[in-house]
Amino acid sequence: MLSREDIAFMYLEQLPFEPYPFQEEAIFGWFSSEQGALVCAPTGMGKTLIAEAGIFEAMKTGKKAYYTTPLIALTEQKYHEIQAALERWGYSKHYVGLVTGNRRENPDAPILVVVAEILFNRLLTAQNQANTFHFDDVTTVVMDEFHNFADAERGMVWEFTLNLLPKHIRTLLISATVGNAYEFVAWLRDNVQRRLTLIESFERKVPLTYQWIGDQLLTEQLELMTRGEEESRMTPALVFCFDRNECWNIADQVRGRDLITADRQKNVAQILEQYDWKEGAGPHLKQLLLRGVGIHHAGVLQKYRRIIEDLFQQKLLSICVCTETLAAGINLPARSVVLPSILKGKPGEKKLIESSSAHQIFGRAGRPQYDDHGFVFALAHEDDVKIGRWKAKYDQIPEDTKDPKLREMKKKMKKKAPTRRTTEQYWTEEQFVKLKDMPPGRLASRGIIPWRLLAHIISLDHNIEPIRRIVGRRLMSEKWVKEGQKKLDEMLLTLSNAGFIRLEKKNGNHEKEIKTIAEPESLESKEFDFSFAYPTEHLPKLMKFRGVNPLYGIFLLQHLGFADRAERIQAFESLLELPPSIGPSVRVPKQDVLPNGPLSTERLDSMLLSLGLAVADELVPKTEEEEEDEREKRRHFGGWAEERFYVIPLAEKLRRLFEYEYPMVEVPINPVWAAGEILLEFKGDFNKYVVSRAIQKQEGVIFRHLLRLILLLEEFIEMTPADGSPDEWKADLTGMAETLIMCCTKVDPKSTEETLEHTKEIAIDKVI
């Protein structure tokens, strides 16, 4: 039987090149550790080579391994990289499988590359469902881009995965940005009982040169970077923006510049002829690519992003304008990184980007296989550039000049001096230097315990104390630990109120009638003193939902059986978050365009009125005469009139009723009407819809919205509604899904096919 030391030497011997000293140290550290390692090193230090050592060990011992990442695109990239690694080692690539939120390939393979939520969900189901997922023969779990532990929305996936992993599984955590690595390893040891070896490096194989550009506009800077011979150019370059629309604006600004050689342009043109660019953003994007400019963000269809990635990796594009998502690990090798701004946020509320995000972005510069240096450029605001240029010209004329013409010229220049605008936010070179020198962000626990996890733990152990200990040991301040304990008590009371569990005290007495708690503050006056939570027959229902808060999923099943198709679509769409920038284009139309259905008119409206959750003006639109009367009042009283109410959409009605029934549960609801319009008005014609809404630049967001809706429909198809016919329910949801599938297949067959392969895993990225 091979020892770990034997396997370590075998792995090093098969490498086609000499590893860096840091890589060799990390590889030996992994093989000598009992429970695993945390590897922290800057981008470009070859951490993938270390991760593959864990996969190599699993193959040599005949065991299984998981490789997890936070992003679907990164997961797919790692899938292909690990397939190539296995072939180098003499194995078939079919030993590697892929499971993401919308794609499954070879899911029974011993080496599985998955998004982090997949592993989390499998761990939840492993102990309470027969013949599903088992971890007895899993030896290794690699968690790439592990700094996502600190993500406010999804970080608990990594945290609770570490709590759920069986102790025999060794973990390899990999990150470029951890500001408190020693503290984190100590926390794991003391609170999760997992001892990891820390392997840390602060050096880059390809050093970075940072430069503040205060005298060039972006278009000028990019043109300068493309000049010269191949070796002296500072391209290919990634231009990072924090707004999708800004990506397009910048790309349009630079496409007329001299950014690409004639030979490269010819090669690009030949490649582009292989694809159809007629619809949506295709014509616009094709023209940009022919000028050496790519765009990469969620608003671009995946089929186009694949082409752009391929062109960039072939060094046929000079620049790619992208959002920070690309910095999270997707491998687009660039010589330079350019930041037109270092502020992020809503207009008027922008702040300096976080240090962890900044280091991720900076780390994209410098390709170990090509470059001996990487370059990071931060540009001043264009107003400051113009002010600086004006000042340079103004100062050329001496203040004490005797020349009347020069005095007159200076006077005129002073009148036309450019200034900063009150509507803009600005940044400085000092802020850029501060950002460069700031340490990476610290890992800390974020978010609340997932409902499915709580239900799972209760189903296994009725004693509340173990889960209280888990919450009490989270990596956060004492204040937030107490808040977490309070939130846990609220969640347990909520489950009890809803009939999913029965709470009992230590003496065996239980609360037979726990009334619905209207306000969370009720815990202030009544100490939570229950010790046991016994499942009722309803608790397993919570673990059936993956793509939606399970309490809200069950709530919808109580009502949507009574709804018509349009109402069902509205309810399902409201669960799928869309970026605010696209909000105005997907608003739910007024009732004269989208009339109320039976769920509203025969149930919800009367319930909301009787419970005081809405007033009549929020449920029934005013007539034209009433609207005119109101306008006349406003004119008469100088704009003032009685309080004005707006008619609320179905999703808002459902949210209000849900919050009344579950006052301690927050579910983000986003009333939109995109898939509904595509299904009912445009009969599945995606391109016609995006053109009519003028959202070609955001079509990728809408396309992904439809794919996520398909997966959500698949999840609800298997459920049984409280009202109506189960057969009608299944037929209606199946019909909607089939129409959406045909619609998406016409747009991007590959992405749609990959999505359809997924039926039993999580429905959307944000499962909790």
Side-chain angles (χ1 to χ4, degrees):
M1 185 176 185
L2 292 171
S3 68
R4 283 189 196 149
E5 186 178 10
D6 293 333
I7 299 172
F9 281 111
M10 290 174 64
Y11 182 68
L12 288 170
E13 287 171 2
Q14 61 79 41
L15 292 177
F17 50 81
E18 190 75 20
Y20 310 153
F22 162 73
Q23 290 175 319
E24 188 168 317
E25 176 194 355
I27 289 167
F28 278 119
W30 162 254
F31 281 106
S32 63
S33 65
E34 285 303 313
Q35 289 190 296
L38 169 61
V39 178
C40 302
T43 301
M45 286 297 289
K47 294 187 292 297
T48 297
L49 188 76
I50 303 162
E52 289 176 354
I55 306 301
F56 185 86
E57 180 183 2
M59 293 301 299
K60 289 299 179 183
T61 55
K63 298 290 187 177
K64 295 182 177 180
Y66 280 85
Y67 192 113
T68 75
T69 88
L71 299 173
I72 288 177
L74 181 57
T75 303
E76 293 177 348
Q77 181 178 310
K78 293 299 178 183
Y79 168 60
H80 294 299
E81 289 179 5
I82 294 174
Q83 279 186 323
L86 259 70
E87 289 184 320
R88 288 198 309 270
W89 302 336
Y91 297 98
S92 167
K93 66 179 182 180
H94 298 296
Y95 280 97
V96 186
L98 172 75
V99 184
T100 68
N102 59 9
R103 184 179 174 192
R104 287 161 57 91
E105 288 193 16
N106 200 15
D108 297 319
I111 308 298
L112 283 180
V113 188
V114 303
V115 288
E117 282 86 352
I118 295 293
L119 177 59
F120 174 74
N121 276 306
R122 289 191 170 195
L123 286 166
L124 280 183
T125 57
Q127 300 178 51
N128 64 349
Q129 291 186 14
N131 301 318
T132 50
F133 308 116
H134 303 285
F135 288 83
D136 294 343
D137 53 354
V138 176
T139 184
T140 300
V141 167
V142 180
M143 297 183 179
D144 204 349
E145 302 294 324
F146 187 72
H147 51 273
N148 281 273
F149 179 97
D151 183 84
E153 294 184 340
R154 299 172 63 199
M156 70 282 290
V157 171
W158 282 264
E159 179 178 355
F160 289 114
T161 292
L162 288 171
N163 274 283
L164 292 171
L165 275 177
K167 297 304 177 186
H168 73 273
I169 296 177
R170 295 167 70 227
T171 53
L172 181 55
L173 313 181
I174 298 176
S175 177
T177 53
V178 175
N180 58 336
Y182 284 101
E183 177 192 9
F184 182 76
V185 168
W187 174 78
L188 278 178
R189 179 195 64 219
D190 298 337
N191 295 283
V192 188
Q193 287 72 57
R194 189 167 289 277
R195 293 178 176 271
L196 299 188
T197 300
L198 175 60
I199 303 147
E200 203 168 14
S201 174
F202 300 97
E203 296 182 7
R204 279 180 56 96
K205 186 65 177 176
V206 180
L208 294 179
T209 297
Y210 296 86
Q211 188 173 347
W212 171 260
I213 307 297
D215 59 352
Q216 297 287 337
L217 298 175
L218 177 62
T219 52
E220 299 164 344
Q221 173 64 19
L222 292 176
E223 197 166 19
L224 284 173
M225 291 169 62
T226 60
R227 290 179 182 172
E229 299 300 321
E230 183 71 28
E231 293 305 315
S232 62
R233 291 191 194 118
M234 295 179 180
T235 54
L238 296 173
V239 181
F240 282 93
C241 299
F242 306 109
D243 178 89
R244 296 189 190 109
N245 287 329
E246 186 65 16
C247 287
W248 287 98
N249 292 339
I250 287 175
D252 285 335
Q253 288 173 28
V254 301
R255 69 171 172 174
R257 298 282 175 157
D258 185 14
L259 301 178
I260 187 172
T261 64
D263 288 343
R264 280 196 173 95
Q265 189 174 57
K266 183 178 178 181
N267 289 336
V268 170
Q270 289 175 346
I271 293 172
L272 298 188
E273 287 305 313
Q274 302 172 34
Y275 305 98
D276 183 3
W277 301 89
K278 295 186 185 70
E279 296 188 336
H284 190 172
L285 191 54
K286 182 180 179 181
Q287 292 304 311
L288 292 172
L289 294 172
L290 287 170
R291 301 301 302 165
V293 181
I295 292 185
H296 196 290
H297 60 70
V300 178
L301 287 171
Q302 179 61 32
K303 66 177 182 181
Y304 296 144
R305 294 207 301 268
R306 285 192 288 262
I307 299 169
I308 291 164
E309 290 166 9
D310 184 54
L311 291 171
F312 198 87
Q313 287 166 345
Q314 293 184 55
K315 296 186 286 185
L316 293 175
L317 298 180
S318 297
I319 68 167
C320 182
V321 191
C322 57
T323 53
E324 61 185 312
T325 303
L326 194 139
I330 300 171
N331 187 25
L332 281 190
R335 180 169 291 172
S336 301
V337 157
V338 181
L339 289 97
S341 171
I342 55 175
L343 302 182
K344 176 184 176 182
K346 297 177 181 178
E349 302 176 11
K350 293 182 180 180
K351 296 179 181 179
L352 197 66
I353 56 177
E354 294 183 356
S355 61
S356 290
S357 177
H359 285 290
Q360 286 286 320
I361 291 171
F362 299 160
R364 291 296 102 193
R367 305 161 298 177
Q369 65 273 44
Y370 302 115
D371 305 322
D372 56 13
H373 260 81
F375 301 90
V376 177
F377 300 100
L379 276 69
H381 192 288
E382 64 176 357
D383 289 353
D384 287 340
V385 174
K386 293 173 182 177
I387 292 170
R389 290 179 175 179
W390 172 87
K391 189 175 186 306
K393 290 183 179 180
Y394 184 80
D395 290 345
Q396 286 178 354
I397 304 176
E399 289 290 342
D400 58 353
T401 181
K402 304 300 182 181
D403 188 327
K405 290 184 178 180
L406 289 178
R407 287 202 304 268
E408 183 64 23
M409 183 184 299
K410 197 173 181 77
K411 185 177 180 181
K412 289 180 179 179
M413 285 183 66
K414 191 171 184 178
K415 287 182 178 180
K416 295 181 179 180
T419 59
R420 284 184 164 187
R421 289 170 280 176
T422 58
T423 56
E424 289 288 303
Q425 287 183 260
Y426 298 86
W427 56 96
T428 65
E429 182 177 4
E430 289 72 26
Q431 287 177 304
F432 173 56
V433 173
K434 177 183 176 182
L435 197 60
K436 173 180 74 72
D437 295 336
M438 285 175 67
R442 298 167 60 86
L443 295 183
S445 300
R446 301 286 184 91
I448 63 172
I449 185 170
W451 288 97
R452 286 185 65 239
L453 176 58
L454 180 58
H456 166 73
I457 292 173
I458 292 172
S459 70
L460 297 176
D461 188 347
H462 310 328
N463 190 343
I464 294 172
E465 188 55 32
I467 185 60
R468 291 187 67 82
R469 284 199 298 269
I470 290 176
V471 173
R473 294 194 305 251
R474 299 188 71 194
L475 183 55
M476 52 176 53
S477 68
E478 182 178 351
K479 172 189 173 182
W480 288 109
V481 166
K482 289 181 179 178
E483 287 294 320
Q485 296 283 17
K486 179 182 175 182
K487 184 62 181 178
L488 173 62
D489 295 342
E490 292 176 358
M491 294 172 75
L492 290 167
L493 287 171
T494 295
L495 292 179
S496 176
N497 292 337
F500 294 107
I501 62 173
R502 178 172 54 85
L503 292 173
E504 191 171 291
K505 300 179 181 180
K506 285 184 178 179
N507 59 12
N509 295 328
H510 63 272
E511 195 88 348
K512 293 183 179 179
E513 282 191 32
I514 303 179
K515 301 297 183 183
T516 299
I517 299 173
E519 297 292 340
E521 288 75 9
S522 57
L523 275 175
E524 302 291 344
S525 59
K526 178 179 179 181
E527 183 180 354
F528 185 92
D529 58 353
F530 298 102
S531 301
F532 301 95
Y534 294 97
T536 69
E537 69 275 13
H538 301 297
L539 187 68
K541 297 176 184 177
L542 294 179
M543 288 178 278
K544 293 181 179 180
F545 289 94
R546 292 183 174 88
V548 59
N549 180 303
L551 293 173
Y552 196 71
I554 289 171
F555 169 81
L556 288 182
L557 288 175
Q558 298 299 315
H559 297 285
L560 292 189
F562 196 70
D564 62 17
R565 172 171 279 198
E567 290 179 314
R568 289 171 180 172
I569 297 172
Q570 288 184 72
F572 290 136
E573 280 205 84
S574 69
L575 297 172
L576 306 174
E577 184 180 357
L578 282 170
S581 59
I582 205 170
S585 300
V586 293
R587 284 197 186 103
V588 178
K590 294 181 178 180
Q591 288 185 19
D592 57 343
V593 176
L594 183 64
N596 279 336
L599 178 58
S600 278
T601 57
E602 299 177 36
R603 176 180 295 184
L604 293 180
D605 288 359
S606 58
M607 291 179 70
L608 293 173
L609 284 171
S610 64
L611 294 170
L613 302 177
V615 298
D617 284 351
E618 293 179 294
L619 305 174
V620 181
K622 290 183 172 64
T623 64
E624 289 187 14
E625 291 79 6
E626 290 170 330
E627 288 281 0
E628 180 56 37
D629 287 345
E630 186 170 299
R631 285 192 291 270
E632 182 59 34
K633 283 183 181 179
R634 292 181 184 279
R635 285 193 294 267
H636 181 72
F637 292 103
W640 179 90
E642 298 176 356
E643 184 178 358
R644 190 175 185 181
F645 294 96
Y646 296 90
V647 177
I648 58 177
L650 174 81
E652 174 63 15
K653 296 176 183 179
L654 289 167
R655 184 190 67 80
R656 292 188 187 185
L657 184 59
F658 175 78
E659 289 184 352
Y660 174 81
E661 296 182 7
Y662 295 88
M664 298 182 190
V665 185
E666 294 182 9
V667 176
I669 297 300
N670 183 32
V672 298
W673 187 245
E677 192 166 7
I678 292 171
L679 282 167
L680 301 181
E681 182 176 340
F682 288 90
K683 309 302 180 186
D685 192 325
F686 180 87
N687 184 62
K688 197 171 183 181
Y689 169 76
V690 297
V691 171
S692 73
R693 288 281 177 262
I695 51 175
Q696 295 96 318
K697 294 178 181 179
Q698 295 270 31
E699 62 185 354
V701 171
I702 297 296
F703 181 76
R704 184 170 178 269
H705 178 75
L706 300 186
L707 292 180
R708 295 167 70 206
L709 181 56
I710 291 169
L711 300 176
L712 194 61
L713 288 170
E714 286 181 352
E715 190 168 335
F716 273 90
I717 284 170
E718 303 305 319
M719 308 294 180
T720 303
D723 299 301
S725 163
D727 290 339
E728 182 275 333
W729 168 267
K730 190 168 187 176
D732 189 37
L733 269 59
T734 300
M736 285 190 274
E738 288 176 347
T739 303
L740 289 173
I741 289 167
M742 288 188 290
C743 165
C744 292
T745 300
K746 292 178 182 177
V747 178
D748 185 349
K750 180 178 174 63
S751 296
T752 306
E753 182 181 357
E754 290 170 353
T755 300
L756 299 183
E757 292 173 359
H758 156 82
T759 55
K760 296 181 180 178
E761 298 288 352
I762 60 173
I764 43 182
D765 291 346
K766 288 169 60 178
V767 296
I768 50 179

